[in-house]
Amino acid sequence: MRIGLVDLDTSHPEAFLPLIRAAGHEVVGVHDSGDVHPHGYARGFADRHGIAQVFTSLPQMAAEVDAAFLHGCDWDRRVERAAPFAEAGVALFVDKPFGGRAADLRQMCTWAEAGVRIAGGSSLRWCAEAAAWHERHPADPAEFALVGCSGDPFDYGVHAYSLLHGLLGPGVSAARHLGGHVQHRVELAWHDGRTGMVSLGPTAARHPFHATVLTETDVEHLICEPGRLYESLLTAALPFLAGQAPAPLPLTALMEPELAALAARASQREGGRWVALDDPAVDGVSYDGAAFAARYRDARYPGAAGRSGAAR
């Protein structure tokens, strides 16, 4: 595939690049909207990594690539920035989280139903530790798991939801907020009656991605190795985006972690009741992508508050 990188906000574009190339694909250009980095960053990134073109517009890039990787911190702009590619039938990799509003998630599913190949989300959904756990328990499925991590309760918290999803599988039906002390706890329910929990939020010392998994015969604790996460994610996504393999999961299933996080937010607002993923209350809540991007930018570039974003 000819791949374009859209928004270079995080460490992911640079970390993904050698893995994309090792899989036989070519990154032909970049575009940065300026939400995090200053003017000129995209040109410097392209020069450092031997990428030929810095695109000045997303429609221009959409005309010249087979797939686009959306890496922006402001998930509120996902649909806007994905639209030129979806309308052109270009495959999309959407970095985690897919979006912070149910309407945005539905729009991506509508594009997928129309034939646009869309993958992405959290790398924890495909982590090697969860895959190895399943190999060790082929006939002893998870009955319950407690999963946790530190950091922003959505940008990082979606990793915990996704790891839980990877262990228990698709089929999340509802979520409820349980409160907490240092971190918040959320319980998820599956259509088949199983439940799991996530523990989310900042901590004084960074916790690793971790899980305690229960079956009818076994209890096992997992700690995920960060160095292998991106390879597992791209191994799952790239063959599908290239049209060489079926989707590893339907997009509606792949987005259940984000929908569960939104249901949990609605539950917190409404006193901790169970909120189904399709409950109208989920449309009444969101996670603020613009605010997160501003915090991310200010941490990266102290004193840069107020700098206007523009195509770079």
Side-chain angles (χ1 to χ4, degrees):
M1 291 183 292
R2 298 166 300 159
I3 292 174
L5 305 181
V6 177
D7 296 329
L8 307 172
D9 299 356
T10 72
S11 63
H12 289 186
E14 188 165 28
F16 283 20
L17 188 56
L19 299 171
I20 290 170
R21 286 170 167 166
H25 306 292
E26 180 184 4
V27 175
V28 299
V30 300
H31 177 280
D32 190 66
S33 303
D35 294 336
V36 170
H37 296 298
H39 180 75
Y41 182 87
R43 179 74 269 167
F45 183 98
D47 291 344
R48 286 196 306 277
H49 295 290
I51 299 170
Q53 190 163 356
V54 175
F55 288 98
T56 58
S57 76
L58 297 181
Q60 178 193 21
M61 179 187 278
E64 298 190 34
V65 299
D66 304 305
F69 276 51
L70 274 60
H71 286 294
C73 277
D74 184 355
W75 50 77
D76 292 342
R77 310 294 293 276
R78 289 275 194 257
V79 166
E80 171 192 333
R81 291 172 183 168
F85 302 100
E87 291 164 3
V90 172
L92 284 163
F93 179 97
V94 182
D95 209 347
K96 61 83 185 170
F98 278 108
R101 297 180 292 232
D104 292 348
L105 303 180
R106 285 196 296 269
Q107 177 59 67
M108 292 184 204
C109 290
T110 297
W111 285 330
E113 290 166 3
V116 179
R117 293 191 293 275
I118 303 176
S122 165
S123 57
L124 271 293
R125 178 58 183 76
W126 308 105
C127 69
E129 291 79 7
W133 184 91
H134 283 290
E135 290 176 1
R136 292 192 298 273
H137 298 82
D140 194 20
E143 290 293 325
F144 175 84
L146 171 64
V147 174
C149 68
S150 300
D152 180 88
F154 188 55
D155 180 70
Y156 257 73
V158 75
H159 286 314
Y161 287 101
S162 297
L163 177 54
L164 181 61
H165 195 260
L167 290 164
L168 269 68
V172 181
S173 61
R176 65 172 172 174
H177 186 265
L178 300 176
H181 179 47
V182 174
Q183 290 193 301
H184 292 286
R185 276 86 192 193
V186 175
E187 185 175 15
L188 276 62
W190 268 251
H191 288 291
D192 62 10
R194 293 176 300 155
T195 62
M197 290 177 60
V198 294
S199 188
L200 315 160
T203 54
R206 181 75 86 175
H207 292 170
F209 301 117
H210 61 275
T212 300
V213 192
L214 284 68
T215 75
E216 290 188 3
T217 63
D218 183 54
V219 179
E220 191 171 341
H221 186 64
L222 310 177
I223 294 180
C224 300
E225 169 55 50
R228 299 192 295 172
L229 292 173
Y230 301 151
E231 183 177 2
S232 298
L233 171 62
L234 294 176
T235 296
L238 284 171
F240 165 61
L241 293 174
Q244 298 166 347
L249 274 181
L251 189 61
T252 51
L254 197 57
M255 287 181 169
E256 286 179 0
E258 282 83 356
L259 280 170
L262 287 165
R265 196 166 183 84
S267 173
Q268 182 178 13
R269 176 179 289 185
E270 299 189 12
R273 73 173 178 90
W274 280 108
V275 175
L277 268 56
D278 60 358
D279 190 306
V282 174
D283 283 298
V285 297
S286 63
Y287 290 91
D288 192 334
F292 178 81
R295 293 194 301 272
Y296 194 96
R297 177 199 64 212
D298 294 344
R300 179 74 183 264
Y301 300 103
R307 177 173 55 79
S308 61
R312 300 293 195 261

